[in-house]
Amino acid sequence: MSFARPIGIALMLAAFATVAAPLTARAEMPTFQIVAENGRFTPETVTVPANTRFRVELTNRNAGPEEFETSSPLKELVVAPGSTRSTVFPPLQPGTYPFFGEFHRETAKGQIVAK
Ligand SMILES: [Cu+2]
C-alpha cells in the first residue's frame, strides 16, 4: 500500500521529536553505569574526566537493596533491588575517590578515578 510508508515516517518523526529532547539533555553530561550484583560493583574502577560534572547511574541486581556511597565528596544513593537510580557528582580534582556499598561493605568496593 503506497500511503503506508509516508504515514510510517511521519509517526517515526513524531516519536523521535518526543524522545530527542531528553536524550540531548542527558548527552550533555557524561554518564557512567555501575551494576551492583552478587554484593559487588561492576566496574570497580570508573574513570571520569576531571573538573567535569558527571552522572553515576547505578543498577541494582542484588536480591536486596544497595547503597552506593562515597565519603569525599559525600554521596549516598539507595537503590531498591531491580531498580536504577542516578546521582550527579560535582567536578572532581584529578585523583582517586573510593566508593563502597553500604550493605555489602566487605565486597562492594571500587573507585572513581578523575583524570
Ligand atoms: Cu550510607
Side-chain angles (χ1 to χ4, degrees):
M1 296 206 292
S2 59
F3 62 82
R5 192 175 167 135
I7 291 171
I9 290 170
L11 287 174
M12 276 173 53
L13 288 175
F16 180 74
T18 306
V19 166
L23 283 181
T24 304
R26 289 182 68 84
E28 286 165 12
M29 193 182 300
T31 299
F32 299 89
Q33 259 103 28
I34 300 176
V35 175
E37 190 167 25
N38 297 324
R40 292 179 178 274
F41 290 126
T42 305
E44 292 184 333
T45 298
V46 179
T47 303
V48 305
N51 307 309
T52 307
R53 271 159 57 92
F54 62 94
R55 179 185 286 110
V56 167
E57 208 170 78
L58 184 77
T59 296
N60 183 7
R61 294 189 190 140
N62 287 314
E66 181 59 288
E67 183 179 67
F68 172 88
E69 185 159 337
T70 57
S71 47
S72 168
L74 181 62
K75 284 277 173 193
E76 294 185 296
L77 182 67
V78 177
V79 185
S83 296
T84 298
R85 292 187 68 201
S86 63
T87 186
V88 173
F89 277 78
L92 299 179
Q93 304 277 329
T96 299
Y97 302 83
F99 60 78
F100 60 92
E102 183 84 58
F103 301 148
H104 302 88
R105 291 201 66 140
E106 297 305 312
T107 52
K109 297 177 198 167
Q111 54 190 355
I112 293 170
V113 179
K115 287 187 177 173

